[in-house]
Amino acid sequence: MTENKLIIGTAPDSWGVWFPEDDAQTPWQRFLDEVAEAGYKWIELGPYGYLPADPETLAKELKERDLQVSAGTVFTAFHRGVDQWDIAWEPARKVAELTAAMGAQHIVVIPALWRDDKTGEALESRVLTDKQWDDLAAGHNRLGETLQRDFGLFQQFHSHADSHVETMADIEKFLAVTDPKLVTLCLDTGHAEYGGASSVKLIEKYPDRIGYLHLKQVDPELLAKVRAEDMTFKDATAAGVMCEPPHGLPDLSKVIEAAEKLGRPLYGIVEQDMYPVNSFDTPLPIAKRTKQYLLGCGSRTVIS
């Protein structure tokens, strides 16, 4: 990835995958087959254990379909205190090992939600204390340093709906309290919009902190309902709040234009939250249309 281009890829999330195992999810072999059929060349690993965790097996499956890995994904809860390092690191290490073995350079890091992502139950306060912000920053700085030192991987922090880093103010505070050498953003355009943050403004204001993109949109009418009723992210997703581009917000052509102005290579991974899919036949046609739409949004937007 040496040229100044935006490489479009996709992820298990766009096939309705949130968990390592779940009968409501697209089987992994079908996911890989359909990604290749849709014409993508790059994927994320998704939740650890969904795709084969054995490097040789996964490498073989990817090679057969001419696919490569852009990133792995880990989950953390560093705001809960220093003991969270021991809880987070062992699963993160496994993801990092597999990600590095696949030749990828990035780890997308998703913070714990204050509401349960299956039941929607409130697990803790939706607002962090000053001490929790300090713990959050320290944990992510340590994670970024460890990933770079031990695996040559870069941490891409993913603000998330129903997490403590969701709004524009949250994201800006997170950037202010973390080390720019150790933490950059996986800017998820859909989750940013969901939280009222502007992806274009974030790219323009913090160009050096944008390390990776997730490209998705939200349905503005459904989002208004979500906000009015304080719906959980789980219920909002099931209602279809994350919609097929270009039918929602933000305007991804403007996001891609801003990203291309950064003048350096980036991944733009399609992530349309669709858990659970209403049919295993649903994702593939959407993936094909989305790829074609995104490739038409920028002058240096490609699939490989």
Side-chain angles (χ1 to χ4, degrees), residues 106 148 154-157 175 178-187 199-212 258-259 261-266:
H106 303 284
Q148 289 184 31
F154 296 96
Q155 175 180 203
Q156 308 298 347
F157 179 84
L175 292 175
T178 51
D179 188 334
K181 298 184 185 67
L182 304 175
V183 189
T184 47
L185 291 182
C186 168
L187 175 55
S199 294
V200 171
K201 287 182 180 178
L202 285 168
I203 294 170
E204 292 175 345
K205 189 173 181 180
Y206 304 99
D208 294 337
R209 303 300 296 272
I210 308 300
Y212 197 89
K261 287 180 180 177
L262 295 175
R264 52 185 169 83
L266 278 175

Side-chain angles (χ1 to χ4, degrees), residues 226-299:
V226 167
R227 289 172 174 166
E229 300 179 8
D230 193 26
M231 291 173 63
T232 68
F233 180 62
K234 169 184 173 289
D235 291 342
T237 300
V241 72
M242 300 298 181
C243 62
E244 178 183 346
H247 307 302
L249 295 174
D251 183 338
L252 291 179
S253 65
K254 293 182 179 178
V255 173
I256 288 174
E257 179 184 2
E260 288 188 344
K261 287 180 180 177
L262 295 175
R264 52 185 169 83
L266 278 175
Y267 288 104
I269 303 301
V270 178
E271 254 215 346
Q272 184 180 342
D273 294 312
M274 288 198 292
Y275 178 84
V277 291
N278 54 18
S279 165
F280 290 161
D281 294 328
T282 299
L284 178 58
I286 295 174
K288 289 180 177 179
R289 292 191 296 265
T290 301
K291 184 199 71 174
Q292 290 306 119
Y293 165 70
L294 293 174
L295 288 176
C297 284
S299 61

Side-chain angles (χ1 to χ4, degrees), residues 27-54:
W28 69 265
Q29 296 95 333
R30 179 168 181 166
F31 162 69
L32 292 179
D33 287 342
E34 293 190 350
V35 167
E37 183 179 342
Y40 294 93
K41 301 296 183 181
W42 293 87
I43 64 164
E44 290 182 354
L45 294 177
Y48 183 81
Y50 172 65
L51 294 177
D54 174 67

Side-chain angles (χ1 to χ4, degrees), residues 83-124:
D83 64 330
Q84 287 297 313
W85 176 262
D86 293 332
I87 295 171
W89 178 241
E90 181 57 23
R93 181 189 61 78
K94 292 179 180 179
V95 173
E97 286 180 346
L98 183 59
T99 303
M102 294 303 102
Q105 294 183 309
H106 303 284
I107 292 287
V108 174
V109 183
I110 298 178
L113 309 188
W114 59 269
R115 287 200 275 212
D116 186 271
D117 58 3
K118 276 196 171 181
T119 67
E121 176 189 0
L123 304 174
E124 55 191 326

